[in-house]
Amino acid sequence: MKIAMVTGGGSGMGRSICLQLAQRGDAVAVVDWDGDAAESAADEIRSEGGRAVAFKTDVSDRAQVDTTVGKIRAELGPIGVLATSAGITDFTPFLEITTEAWQKMMDVNLTGTFHCVQSVIPDMIEAGWGRIILISSSSAQRGGPRMVHYASSKGGVFALTKSLALEFGPQGITVNNIAPSSIETPMHAAGRAEGRLSSVEEASARIPVRRLGTGDDIAAAAMFLRSDEASYFTGQLMGVNGGSYI
Ligand SMILES: NC(=O)c1ccc[n+]([C@@H]2O[C@H](COP(=O)([O-])OP(=O)(O)OC[C@H]3O[C@@H](n4cnc5c(N)ncnc54)[C@H](O)[C@@H]3O)[C@@H](O)[C@H]2O)c1
């Protein structure tokens, strides 16, 4: 049993990761800037007999992250597992991306990830064991038209993964990256509703396994990365994409 902190845990794949971690016995800190969503995920875990506490936190705000990490330590204990799924997206042609929009994307997706890792990792160093699972995007592998700011932030998360894996491997901490593509979540549904993403049918026809992914597909990869057996697996990008980018 470990203490796990999951950002973006109120929705989509973060929520699935929370549920699967709890089902395997971890105590879960569900972190999300949507406090109601975080509470609802924690309620669902507790209703299944698991242990979970919700924390309303904006990961782009370092003071909020540090306060939340302090509360998690006090209420649950030192953190051994960190999964970062909090993220935002946006579709804008490159020439129309404002400096503010660029900065906001970096603040949440890249700097938010940095804040969480730096705040939590002293617990893992102390324990000589840790599992860090960072969510990026297939757009970090292949680029993303009208998503230059988003893809750039996710490319940064991939570089962060590799660099952290090199620095903290000697301390028993693995750092890996999941790059999802076309996962059926509220974020993906919003992109379809705005006409920014293809319909489920059109997207499925292009994906080799002929369906969209699910939060549980991502959580399954995360459970491997979290396991004791994955101790020789670090600095890697795991593409969970139905075979789309191989
Ligand atoms: N769905 C996909 O197809 C897809 C593909 C590639 C990458 N991703 C990435 O996967 C991650 C999870 O996406 P999802 O599809 O589950 O989306 P989602 O919108 O369903 O969930 C994201 C969660 O993050 C939270 N969040 C956003 N900004 C936050 C902040 N500043 N602080 C705290 N919480 C914040 C939201 O409230 C939400 O609960 C994101 O980083 C996303 O970029 C998704």
Side-chain angles (χ1 to χ4, degrees):
M1 191 284 273
K2 300 286 183 192
I3 311 304
M5 168 171 154
V6 181
T7 74
S11 175
M13 57 188 87
R15 189 176 181 118
S16 299
I17 291 170
C18 287
L19 290 165
Q20 289 203 19
L21 285 169
Q23 284 157 8
R24 282 159 179 74
D26 287 343
V28 181
V30 184
V31 174
D32 205 297
W33 66 6
D34 180 339
D36 291 341
E39 283 295 351
S40 137
D43 280 345
E44 188 174 348
I45 289 170
R46 289 189 293 256
S47 74
E48 291 179 0
R51 191 161 171 226
V53 183
F55 297 91
K56 178 177 162 63
T57 311
D58 178 351
V59 298
S60 68
D61 182 328
R62 181 54 181 263
Q64 286 190 37
V65 170
D66 286 343
T67 300
T68 290
V69 168
K71 286 183 186 166
I72 296 169
R73 285 188 186 118
E75 290 185 37
L76 296 172
I79 298 162
V81 179
L82 171 68
T84 59
S85 189
I88 54 172
T89 193
D90 178 47
F91 300 87
T92 303
F94 177 65
L95 290 173
E96 295 169 25
I97 296 173
T98 62
T99 306
E100 291 73 25
W102 173 274
Q103 193 58 52
K104 184 177 179 198
M105 194 65 74
M106 295 300 154
D107 285 349
V108 175
N109 291 358
L110 181 55
T111 310
T113 305
F114 160 75
H115 288 325
C116 293
V117 174
Q118 202 177 51
S119 191
V120 162
I121 207 164
D123 287 356
M124 301 179 182
I125 295 168
E126 173 77 21
W129 190 96
R131 295 284 183 269
I132 299 178
I133 303 157
L134 308 179
I135 306 285
S136 62
S137 164
S138 59
S139 65
Q141 299 168 280
R142 66 183 162 90
R146 296 173 297 117
M147 302 179 83
V148 170
H149 47 347
Y150 176 79
S152 300
S153 71
K154 296 296 192 176
V157 171
F158 187 38
L160 183 63
T161 306
K162 285 198 165 297
S163 305
L164 288 168
L166 293 172
E167 192 162 336
F168 292 101
Q171 276 121 310
I173 301 166
T174 67
V175 189
N176 289 291
N177 196 280
I178 296 175
S181 181
S182 301
I183 308 301
E184 177 60 296
T185 64
M187 178 187 280
H188 199 274
R192 296 199 306 272
E194 292 167 8
R196 312 282 194 178
L197 293 172
S198 310
S199 68
V200 172
E201 294 72 25
E202 286 168 349
S204 299
R206 284 198 299 266
I207 297 170
V209 304
R210 296 290 185 269
R211 67 171 176 86
L212 263 58
T214 65
D216 279 339
D217 289 320
I218 301 300
M223 293 313 107
F224 167 68
L225 297 174
R226 179 256 175 268
S227 68
D228 283 326
E229 291 74 15
S231 62
Y232 202 57
F233 197 93
T234 192
Q236 302 302 311
L237 181 146
M238 232 186 201
V240 184
N241 54 35
S244 294
Y245 306 104
I246 51 181

